[in-house]
Amino acid sequence: MQEKIIVTGGCGYIGSHTVITLINHNYEVVIFDDLSNSNLKILDRIQKITGIKPHFEQVDLKSSEATHAVFKTHKDSKAVIHFAAHKAVAESIHNPLMYYQNNLFSLINTLKAQQDNSIKHHIFSSSATVYGNPSQMPITEDAPTQRSFSPYGNTKKMAEEILEDFTNSQSDISVISLRYFNPIGAHESGQIGEFPTAIPNNLMPYITQTAAGVLEKLMVFGNDYPTKDGTPIRDYIHVVDLAEAHLKALQRLLGPKSQPLEVFNLGTGNGYSVLEMIKAFEAVSGSLLNYEITDRRPGDVPEMFASTALAKQVLNWEASRSLHDMIQSSWTWEQNLRKGLK
Ligand code: UD1
């Protein structure tokens, strides 16, 4: 019998890649998504790649009634992978209540519905942003979490605190929280990637859109950081590696060694500066990128890269795709989008 897994936000960037990995490993997937930052065409893409169209429920998880109803329909599910959340840092600074309301209500309603329907396993999409400006590299999971510069970041930190209190209570639900470093890249089929809805905040889509001529110029936010070339260092990870980590986390939760709450970094352990990313992109695309150094962006920290030891030891997972794979797949995806793949 196939095990049924609920994937909230399964039409989104990381969610859709994870759905493909789950289907390819013979799980039955049902997606809950409000389509606020995604669209239904993704289901056909998933079908094209895997041969299976996942079951889909359009639902607003901010509503406790709607959440209750949809979970009741799918109470035979074994676990929830909870991606559904807003993620634009700048938007969260302008509209913090929208972020607290969406990201925290949806988590609370989901956990309550899991409790009511005895769905005992939960994987949470967290972020390395919970570490704030960490003092030691590589960052290990026991590094202190810090109040974030942005409401978005704070929703992730608060969500982890909610999960800690929840799993400390009488709850028999076990949770794995996955702290993503900087996900980039796209599916090797060229069919699935990140669908940009506004001008991107993040580096990689900004680079590819500049190279594609959609944006005029990449602004490099500061070259006076205490790093090798003065630009900030991040741990970029291929989205398909990230998807595979969710599979491993799920297997752990469903297996005999499941713990009440575990937290893992998902990164490669390698740090690249902004200028190194630009150079690597130029090498892959074969053309020069139009960029200019400008002022620092508020909230940016000099350096972030993961210790990958815990995920390797406990989940038996490590990232396998190279920086070249990440950049090549991002660029192929961008070009496919521009060719009219909508
Ligand atoms: C950002 C968010 C973080 C969030 C993550 C995932 C901030 C301060 N941090 O992480 O909370 O979890 O995205 O969405 O927004 N850069 C440029 N020019 C650009 C864009 C980026 O120089 O146009 C630089 C940044 O200064 C940074 C690096 O590229 O040094 C990576 O930026 P980005 O992709 O936005 O990721 P983070 O800042 O690490």
Side-chain angles (χ1 to χ4, degrees):
M1 246 268 285
Q2 275 189 315
E3 288 173 307
K4 181 166 159 182
I5 311 298
I6 294 169
V7 180
T8 77
C11 293
Y13 174 45
I14 304 172
S16 58
H17 287 83
T18 303
V19 167
I20 291 169
T21 299
L22 294 177
I23 293 175
N24 285 341
H25 286 80
N26 208 27
Y27 288 95
E28 180 187 350
V29 174
V30 53
I31 294 175
F32 295 176
D33 203 303
D34 67 359
L35 302 178
S36 62
N37 189 26
S38 56
N39 87 55
L40 272 183
K41 288 178 193 152
I42 208 85
L43 299 180
D44 297 327
R45 303 288 176 77
I46 292 172
Q47 183 172 26
K48 215 167 163 182
I49 294 167
T50 64
I52 291 172
K53 192 169 185 169
H55 194 81
F56 173 76
E57 301 275 6
Q58 184 165 358
V59 56
D60 178 1
L61 298 172
K62 295 193 293 299
S63 155
S64 58
E65 291 80 16
T67 306
H68 183 80
V70 77
F71 270 85
K72 212 167 154 193
T73 312
H74 295 283
K75 63 186 302 168
D76 56 332
S77 302
K78 287 279 175 285
V80 176
I81 308 184
H82 184 50
F83 293 103
H86 292 329
K87 60 171 185 181
V89 170
E91 183 184 51
S92 79
I93 293 169
H94 292 113
N95 203 344
L97 295 184
M98 178 175 127
Y99 272 67
Y100 290 121
Q101 188 177 38
N102 186 63
N103 292 5
L104 297 181
F105 282 16
S106 69
L107 173 66
I108 293 165
N109 290 335
T110 295
L111 292 174
K112 179 75 173 66
Q114 284 191 242
Q115 204 166 37
D116 292 346
N117 292 289
S118 295
I119 303 173
K120 296 206 162 85
H121 307 289
H122 182 104
I123 297 175
F124 179 69
S125 285
S126 189
S127 166
T129 198
V130 301
Y131 294 116
N133 189 358
S135 52
Q136 275 192 345
M137 293 298 143
I139 307 168
T140 50
E141 287 81 351
D142 57 5
T145 61
Q146 292 173 18
R147 185 180 150 74
S148 173
F149 157 82
S150 75
Y152 155 78
N154 273 325
T155 67
K156 294 296 177 190
K157 179 172 180 289
M158 289 177 185
E160 286 204 356
E161 288 165 3
I162 291 170
L163 291 167
E164 194 176 337
D165 290 341
F166 181 64
T167 49
N168 278 339
S169 71
Q170 293 303 310
S171 156
D172 59 356
I173 293 177
S174 52
V175 174
I176 289 183
S177 183
L178 298 174
R179 293 175 176 164
Y180 312 152
F181 279 68
N182 290 61
I184 61 171
H187 194 262
E188 62 190 4
S189 63
Q191 291 288 316
I192 298 246
E194 188 166 21
F195 279 94
T197 45
I199 295 178
N201 292 299
N202 296 118
L203 180 63
M204 200 62 221
Y206 213 107
I207 287 179
T208 57
Q209 287 194 21
T210 304
V214 181
L215 299 171
E216 199 203 326
K217 191 192 275 183
L218 170 75
M219 304 308 282
V220 173
F221 299 136
N223 67 350
D224 57 351
Y225 287 91
T227 60
K228 50 190 159 186
D229 60 23
T231 62
I233 290 175
R234 294 290 181 273
D235 185 338
Y236 298 91
I237 175 165
H238 199 299
V239 66
V240 177
D241 277 325
L242 213 60
E244 290 170 1
H246 289 74
L247 171 71
K248 295 285 191 171
L250 179 66
Q251 289 168 340
R252 178 161 175 88
L253 284 176
L254 297 177
K257 291 193 186 139
S258 177
Q259 303 284 318
L261 175 64
E262 290 178 301
V263 175
F264 299 100
N265 288 338
L266 298 184
T268 65
N270 302 314
Y272 293 98
S273 74
V274 176
L275 291 179
E276 284 175 330
M277 292 299 283
I278 293 172
K279 293 285 160 269
F281 178 81
E282 289 177 337
V284 165
S285 69
S287 57
L288 294 177
L289 193 76
N290 190 19
Y291 73 89
E292 183 185 322
I293 311 285
T294 182
D295 295 341
R296 289 183 178 198
R297 180 173 69 177
D300 279 344
V301 300
E303 191 175 39
M304 298 272 273
F305 58 92
S307 163
T308 57
L310 193 67
K312 193 170 174 182
Q313 183 200 327
V314 178
L315 297 179
N316 190 27
W317 170 88
E318 63 184 320
S320 64
R321 291 162 181 84
S322 67
L323 186 66
H324 181 276
D325 292 341
M326 299 181 214
I327 291 178
Q328 179 67 66
S329 62
S330 297
W331 182 221
T332 302
W333 169 244
E334 181 70 52
Q335 289 170 301
N336 287 349
L337 274 177
R338 300 307 143 202
K339 278 187 217 142
L341 185 79
K342 287 271 182 288

